[in-house]
Amino acid sequence: MAKTVLTIDDSKAIRDMVNFTLSGVGYRVVEAENGLEGLAKLKSEPVSLVVVDLNMPVMNGFEFIRKARQEPKGSGVPILMLTTETKPEAKAEGKALGATGWLNKPFDAAMLVAVARKLAG
């Protein structure tokens, strides 16, 4: 059975690129448009990795991480931030909240696959 990656981003183009990249190497990809929708999907199905944007409406990536880490199904799941944000303070905050890794947009497909394989198996 394929491992599931939950990608959370308000940009359909980014969700499509993540889906195309990871499904092409055997992952099942589930999509959400914001952190609140992502949190519901995290609670409802087994997820091996979350790829989440920072700046989104409804619930941003930091809020998502904070809430996900409080959930039994989200406490041990690797969370990769995929964002345009490059400030060291933002990266430090993400790490403090429980982000496992950080990639910047635009992303390199081979790097995303390598990180997914490392974090999700």
Side-chain angles (χ1 to χ4, degrees):
M1 177 181 254
K3 293 193 176 188
T4 300
V5 175
L6 170 60
T7 182
I8 309 168
D9 201 302
D10 57 320
S11 167
K12 180 168 178 8
I14 294 294
R15 290 193 317 270
D16 287 349
M17 286 190 292
V18 170
N19 191 340
F20 178 80
T21 300
L22 295 180
S23 64
V25 293
Y27 290 97
R28 176 178 170 263
V29 179
V30 176
E31 300 179 18
E33 292 182 24
N34 60 63
L36 189 60
E37 186 181 319
L39 194 60
K41 291 191 177 188
L42 178 69
K43 292 177 183 179
S44 68
E45 50 189 295
V47 172
S48 299
L49 172 66
V50 176
V51 178
V52 63
D53 186 19
L54 175 54
N55 300 306
M56 298 178 288
V58 184
M59 180 188 289
N60 72 31
F62 287 162
E63 293 173 73
F64 169 82
I65 294 171
R66 188 177 294 111
K67 300 267 188 195
R69 292 302 187 213
Q70 295 171 352
E71 291 294 325
K73 288 188 174 183
S75 63
V77 175
I79 299 176
L80 176 66
M81 296 292 300
L82 179 63
T83 179
T84 57
E85 183 62 62
T86 60
K87 293 178 186 165
E89 313 83 66
K91 290 181 182 183
E93 183 175 353
K95 185 174 182 177
L97 290 170
T100 312
W102 194 284
L103 279 180
N104 289 109
K105 295 176 189 174
F107 66 90
D108 176 77
M111 178 63 78
L112 179 61
V113 169
V115 172
R117 285 181 173 151
K118 181 177 181 180
L119 295 177

